């Protein structure tokens, strides 16, 4: 281009543009100069477009007016990389902001670390992040801004309060984890020693609270942790604090231990070798341990857990706690009224090894060791047939009302006998609770809004001195109402989430085979198997039941 000269200064830092209008053939085009600048050594140098435009406009004006004045303008320069740091308000993190150089120098790793120290970033600096930023900057276009978190503080870890560790297992835990005879094979009938303790036996240990771990900010400020608290024993009946160790709870009486909700109870235990016409019915305000069978038409009722190391035939077993039957249970179903003469009713969970013709009703989970058929189940938890870690038992010809997952090896039978599972009850209870809370929340919000208007009016008025105590009382009541409103809103959110969780958790799982005649129901939504499937799962999502093979 005639009349255009691009050159570096003596330090080769700045770019000078010299325009001689007297040598122009025509008006100079700024884009042509930019094209030249994008070649060679000036390619990565910073160019000021405003300076370039100003020089071109002035030179073109001189060209049009036949003015021979030469235009000289500094239009660019080499710029080294720019490094800045941004520290968060809580000083728990710091960001490195690096702007890539325009033909200038790139800072080294040690230079960035030194600059961080000058910015009072003393701890938590990541040399790995610095290396990554430098590597990325070398290939990025000039003027690119790269931002990375380069330093992190360490939040304090608060101490853990006392924990309680049971020193004896609950009976149900022992049954669900049978003892091994030879280290390899497991005998489902070998439950170890009877789950009873003598007096003065340690049953619960309290751990010491921990001090926690100190933290720090990127500025180097130490953040002290909050130490854990000593949690007092919640002594259940039949227990007392040891005379020799204040962190040990011992049994005061001989009986059956039961640890629940951080409370260890020792139930006074009635032990017998069987329940039959010779012993009569058993009604006991404690735990019952039967080391034998329960025969036809006999009844056992207990306030504590009932453990039967034998077989139950056509009997009624009722417990406020758990029911554990290590062998099996069997009864008959009478067509008249669909009545069962073998009934198991528990306030907790129920475990039996195998069963047929049983009416089971419990608030907790139902676990079956091997097989259950021709029975009626109502439970507030899950139904599992087989080992807990890999349920492979058989479940067929039953009517089930469950609040949780139903899982077995085989669901249904090759004969096509029906297996009905209804998940509606638990869902409807949540809906009823949600509707009640919504109605209460609506009423509270209306009242709170009215009260707020009146409080605002009172605050805007000049209150006589003698009435100020009454205003203070009104404000306190209003604040209490606000606190109640927030609590109800939190409960409404919890119930909404519980409703979502319930739908996500209910399902049928067949780990071996699912036969025809198996159905799952949630209110008006029903799924029924019309053929035989291999390993399968039936779950509820988006208001519909879905079938998925298990691979």
């Amino acid at each position: 281009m005639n009349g255009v000269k691009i050159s570096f200064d003596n330090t080769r830092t700045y770019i000078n543009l010299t325009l001689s209008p007297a040598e122009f053939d025509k008006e100079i085009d700024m884009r042509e100069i930019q094209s030249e600048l994008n070649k060679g050594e000036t390619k990565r140098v910073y160019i000021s477009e405003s300076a370039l435009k100003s020089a071109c406009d002035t030179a073109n004006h001189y060209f049009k007016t036949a003015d021979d004045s030469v235009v000289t303008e500094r239009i660019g320069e080499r710029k080294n990389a720019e490094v800045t740091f941004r520290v968060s308000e809580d000083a728990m993190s710091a960001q490195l902001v690096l702007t890539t150089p325009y033909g200038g120098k790139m800072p080294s790793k040690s230079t960035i670390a030194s600059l961080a120290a000058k910015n009072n970033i003393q701890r938590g600096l990541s040399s790995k992040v610095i290396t990554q930023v430098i590597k990325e900057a070398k290939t990025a276009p000039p003027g690119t801004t790269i931002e990375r978190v380069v330093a992190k503080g360490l939040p304090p870890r608060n101490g853990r309060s006392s924990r309680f560790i049971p020193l004896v297992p609950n009976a149900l835990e022992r049954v669900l984890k049978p003892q091994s005879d030879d280290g390899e094979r497991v005998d489902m009938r070998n439950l170890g020693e009877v789950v009873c303790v003598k007096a003065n036996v340690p049953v619960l240990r309290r751990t010491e609270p921990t001090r926690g771990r100190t933290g720090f900010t990127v500025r180097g400020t130490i953040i002290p942790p909050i130490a854990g608290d000593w949690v007092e024993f919640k002594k259940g009946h039949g227990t007392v604090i040891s005379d020799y160790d204040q962190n040990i709870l011992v049994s005061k009486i001989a009986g059956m231990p039961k640890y629940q909700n951080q409370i260890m109870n020792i139930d006074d235990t009635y032990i017998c070798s069987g329940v039959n016409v010779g012993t009569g019915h058993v009604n006991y305000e404690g735990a019952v341990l039967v080391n034998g069978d329960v025969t036809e038409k006999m009844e056992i009722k207990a306030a504590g857990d009932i453990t039967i190391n034998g077989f139950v035939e056509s009997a009624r077993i009722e417990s406020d706690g758990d029911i554990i039957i290590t062998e099996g249970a069997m009864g008959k179903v009478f067509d008249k009224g669909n009545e069962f003469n073998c009934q198991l009713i528990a306030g907790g969970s129920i475990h039996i090894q195998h069963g047929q013709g049983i009416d089971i009703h419990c608030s907790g989970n139902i676990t079956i060791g091997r097989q259950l058929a021709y029975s009626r189940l109502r439970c507030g938890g899950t139904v599992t047939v087989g080992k807990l870690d890999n349920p492979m038992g058989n479940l067929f010809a039953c009517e089930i009302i469950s609040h949780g997952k139903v899982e077995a090896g085989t669901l249904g039978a090759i004969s096509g006998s029906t297996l009905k599972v209804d998940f509606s009850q638990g869902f409807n209870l949540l809906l009823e609770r949600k509707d009640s809370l919504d109605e209460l929340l609506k009423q509270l919000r209306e009242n709170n809004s009215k009260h707020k208007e009146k409080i605002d009016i009172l605050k805007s008025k000049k209150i006589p001195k003698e009435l100020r105590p009454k205003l203070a009382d009104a404000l306190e009541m209003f604040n209490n109402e606000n606190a109640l409103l927030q609590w109800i809103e939190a409960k409404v959110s919890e119930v909404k989430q519980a409703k979502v969780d319930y739908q996500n958790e209910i399902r049928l799982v067949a780990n071996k085979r699912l036969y025809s005649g198996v159905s799952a129901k949630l209110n008006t939504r029903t799924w029924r198997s019309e053929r035989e499937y291999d390993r399968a799962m039936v779950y509820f999502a988006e208001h519909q039941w879905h079938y998925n093979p298990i691979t």
Side-chain angles (χ1 to χ4, degrees):
M1 291 180 290
N2 294 332
V4 178
K5 181 182 178 183
I6 299 171
S7 61
F8 280 98
D9 69 345
N10 292 334
T11 64
R12 300 199 65 78
T13 300
Y14 300 100
I15 297 178
N16 296 320
L17 174 66
T18 304
L19 299 176
S20 303
E23 300 177 18
F24 288 179
D25 298 325
K26 59 179 180 177
E27 290 186 21
I28 196 70
D29 190 343
M30 173 181 162
R31 289 173 295 182
E32 292 181 1
I33 299 176
Q34 285 176 323
S35 178
E36 283 298 318
L37 290 168
N38 287 330
K39 299 176 183 177
E41 193 176 354
T42 59
K43 182 178 181 180
R44 296 186 66 85
V45 177
Y46 172 73
I47 302 298
S48 171
E49 288 192 7
S50 60
L52 177 60
K53 185 176 185 303
S54 175
C56 290
D57 289 344
T58 303
N60 287 332
H61 174 71
Y62 289 164
F63 174 72
K64 286 188 288 186
T65 58
D67 188 336
D68 293 338
S69 300
V70 176
V71 177
T72 301
E73 187 79 33
R74 179 171 288 173
I75 61 168
E77 63 177 309
R78 295 184 191 273
K79 284 187 176 182
N80 295 332
E82 293 180 3
V83 176
T84 57
F85 294 90
R86 286 203 295 261
V87 180
S88 63
E89 288 185 10
D90 60 2
M92 293 304 292
S93 66
Q95 274 195 323
L96 165 64
V97 182
L98 187 148
T99 305
T100 55
Y102 287 90
K105 296 178 181 179
M106 183 75 72
S108 65
K109 184 177 172 182
S110 59
T111 301
I112 293 177
S114 177
L115 290 171
K118 288 181 180 178
N119 281 270
N120 198 24
I121 297 172
Q122 300 178 10
R123 300 193 66 176
L125 192 68
S126 171
S127 58
K128 183 178 180 181
V129 171
I130 294 174
T131 302
Q132 290 173 347
V133 169
I134 292 174
K135 183 178 179 181
E136 184 178 344
K138 286 179 179 178
T139 57
T144 303
T145 299
I146 301 171
E147 297 185 21
R148 295 287 185 277
V149 175
V150 73
K152 292 181 181 179
L154 180 69
R157 181 189 297 150
N158 292 334
R160 189 165 52 191
S161 298
S162 303
R163 291 182 302 145
F164 297 108
I165 301 175
L167 303 177
V168 288
N170 291 342
L172 186 59
E173 292 173 1
R174 291 179 67 86
V175 172
L176 296 178
K177 295 180 181 178
Q179 307 298 309
S180 174
D181 286 337
D182 54 10
E184 295 180 1
R185 296 185 62 188
V186 171
D187 185 352
M188 293 300 293
R189 291 178 294 179
N190 176 16
L191 304 173
E193 297 178 0
V194 174
V195 188
C196 281
V197 295
K198 297 179 180 179
N200 297 318
V201 170
V203 292
L204 186 66
R205 179 165 62 87
R206 177 177 63 181
T207 64
E208 291 186 12
T210 59
R211 295 175 60 87
R213 181 201 63 200
T214 57
F216 56 81
T217 68
V218 295
R219 301 290 194 198
T221 304
I222 299 298
I223 308 174
I226 299 173
D229 297 323
W230 280 101
V231 180
E232 295 299 323
F233 277 116
K234 297 177 182 178
K235 291 183 290 184
H237 55 265
T239 61
V240 66
I241 295 176
S242 170
D243 295 333
Y244 306 102
D245 189 341
Q246 293 298 302
N247 292 319
I248 293 290
L249 206 63
V250 299
S251 55
K252 189 165 60 174
I253 60 173
M256 187 175 293
K258 180 67 177 288
Y259 182 68
Q260 194 171 23
N261 299 326
Q262 293 191 329
I263 301 175
M264 177 66 78
N265 292 305
I266 305 297
D267 291 332
D268 190 15
T269 307
Y270 174 80
I271 303 176
C272 62
S273 58
V275 177
N276 48 51
V277 291
T279 63
H281 301 314
V282 175
N283 190 337
Y284 197 68
E285 287 297 320
V288 172
L289 176 61
V290 181
N291 289 316
D293 297 336
V294 180
T295 59
E296 190 174 1
K297 296 184 180 180
M298 301 310 299
E299 295 182 5
I300 301 176
K301 186 174 183 180
D305 294 351
I306 298 175
T307 302
I308 300 169
N309 290 321
F311 192 83
V312 175
E313 182 181 358
S314 301
R316 179 183 174 88
I317 315 294
E318 187 174 349
S319 166
D320 292 343
D322 300 332
I323 295 176
I324 303 154
I325 302 172
T326 62
E327 293 295 331
M330 183 173 291
K332 299 175 183 177
V333 185
F334 300 107
D335 292 335
K336 184 180 179 181
N338 195 24
E339 294 181 356
F340 294 75
N341 69 353
C342 186
Q343 297 175 321
L344 307 179
I345 304 166
S349 298
I350 292 178
H351 171 82
I352 58 176
Q353 194 63 13
H354 58 85
Q356 180 172 316
I358 318 169
D359 189 6
I360 302 176
H361 189 182
C362 71
S363 300
N365 301 321
I366 296 174
T367 53
I368 312 296
R370 292 197 295 270
Q371 178 172 294
L372 183 68
Y374 302 102
S375 298
R376 181 169 62 196
L377 290 73
R378 288 168 290 174
C379 74
T382 61
V383 178
T384 307
V385 187
K387 296 179 183 179
L388 288 182
D389 57 348
N390 186 26
M392 299 299 284
N394 303 319
L395 179 65
F396 60 93
C398 293
E399 292 184 6
I400 301 172
I401 295 175
S402 176
H403 293 194
K405 176 178 66 174
V406 175
E407 184 172 9
T410 301
L411 293 177
I414 195 169
S415 63
S417 58
T418 58
L419 174 66
K420 299 178 181 178
V421 183
D422 192 345
F423 297 101
S424 306
Q425 187 184 74
F427 187 69
N428 290 336
L429 288 173
L430 286 172
L431 288 179
E432 289 175 13
R433 190 179 175 200
K434 179 181 177 297
D435 291 342
S436 299
L437 286 171
D438 285 343
E439 184 62 32
L440 178 60
L441 182 60
K442 180 182 176 183
Q443 189 63 48
L444 277 174
R445 280 176 174 165
E446 290 176 358
N447 293 340
N448 185 258
S449 178
K450 293 175 184 177
H451 295 160
K452 186 178 185 304
E453 290 176 6
K454 293 179 180 178
I455 289 292
D456 290 342
I457 293 171
L458 287 172
K459 284 182 176 179
S460 66
K461 302 291 183 182
K462 187 174 181 181
I463 307 299
K465 188 175 181 180
E466 62 273 13
L467 294 178
R468 287 175 186 170
K470 290 188 176 180
L471 176 61
D473 291 341
L475 286 172
E476 185 179 356
M477 291 177 65
F478 180 68
N479 290 334
N480 291 338
E481 184 182 62
N482 281 334
L484 176 62
L485 182 61
Q486 291 175 4
W487 185 81
I488 293 294
E489 286 174 341
K491 287 297 175 185
V492 168
S493 297
E494 286 178 14
V495 173
K496 284 182 180 177
Q497 187 58 47
K499 179 184 164 188
V500 173
D501 293 341
Y502 187 94
Q503 293 178 87
N504 290 338
E505 291 169 7
I506 57 173
R507 61 191 59 205
L508 303 180
V509 180
N511 292 316
K512 284 198 295 189
R513 195 164 296 277
L514 190 150
Y515 289 99
S516 64
V518 177
S519 64
K521 180 182 179 184
L522 181 62
N523 289 338
T524 58
R525 304 291 185 180
T526 303
W527 180 91
R528 180 181 173 85
S529 61
E530 300 296 341
R531 63 179 181 85
E532 185 178 322
Y533 299 91
D534 286 330
R535 303 175 63 201
M537 177 173 67
V538 179
Y539 64 96
F540 193 82
E542 298 177 351
H543 309 291
Q544 295 288 340
W545 286 103
H546 301 270
Y547 158 81
N548 258 2
I550 299 176
T551 56

